[in-house]
Amino acid sequence: MSESNLPDYRVQSEAVRDRFARIKKRPVTMEVAGLSKTFQSRHGTVTALKDINLTIHKREFVCVIGPSGCGKSTLIRILAGLEQATEGEVRLDGKVVDKPGPERGMVFQGYTLFPWLTVKKNIMFGLIESGYDKGTAEAEARQWIELIGLSRFENSYPHQLSGGMKQRVAIARALANKPKVLLMDEPFGALDAQTRSKMQAYLMEIWKNIDVTVFFITHDLDEAIYLADRILVLKANPGEVQEVIEVAVPQPRHPEQFLSPEFIATKKRLEELIHPPKQEDDDDHLNLVRMVPVNDEVGSVF
């Protein structure tokens, strides 16, 4: 399909419009208001995030994308309570977030399982810390292990699992405490393409069956469109909101939609935002000089 035949990425079918109307009627789970974050460096004050405003509704799936240096990871760490904003605030169900809490589960890109604990005991860990007795925690953990399809591996250790299995356990561990919000910082970024695709499908199935709101950071445009209800697009230096896109691709999602006009049109818009045309005065380029001969007997390819 040529670009001239693509629909406007903002045009929604009746089913998609109805879905967003229903989402907007749900209670607000998390609100980000006037959030800014600055750091002091040897070069002076660095503004990582500037005036971020966002309202997230219950059971909504929000993805965040942006170029390197736009503050994606800083934003999610503030939502998790691991860092403090310089200005503005984050509210969860109307209460200000200023420290970590069990109502927010976190999944990182790296495999953060405890290597000395089995799959079952990794998932039990947070439950026991929250006050569950051992028997109840074990029963809860087994339910999650069955849900993620790893019953045969409940007594295995992390080093005995594949990357995708480890992330399934990490997701189950984060969800076992029944958080209201699941925060995910590029959780599939270290996986190969095939495993990543499987993990996206696992996550979609879990999300459809669990009462949880998802805030998901990714650098992969296809992944953002495939997973999200809305996509928050940040720009860098400083990290500001460029646009919030309501994804026009119908739910439920399936891989065949990657070739749909709505999907392609949304991806084209994201590429325009993330990779704008170079300006003549743009200094973000390589200053290369030819240091060795590059011609051979076949001749230059340039």
Side-chain angles (χ1 to χ4, degrees), residues 8-28 54-63 207 224-232 244-253 262 266:
D8 189 311
Y9 70 99
R10 294 164 294 190
V11 174
Q12 300 171 354
S13 66
E14 184 177 352
V16 172
R17 286 198 304 272
D18 288 346
R19 173 173 170 77
F20 278 110
R22 293 195 304 272
I23 289 174
K24 292 169 185 176
K25 289 180 180 178
R26 297 175 190 165
V28 172
L54 182 67
T55 298
I56 305 172
H57 294 267
K58 184 177 181 179
R59 298 204 72 247
E60 191 175 8
F61 200 125
V62 175
C63 280
W207 173 60
I225 301 167
Y226 181 55
L227 296 176
D229 289 314
R230 289 189 296 155
I231 302 173
L232 175 69
V244 179
I245 295 175
E246 294 183 348
V247 179
V249 180
Q251 292 273 17
R253 305 272 168 76
E262 298 89 353
T266 304

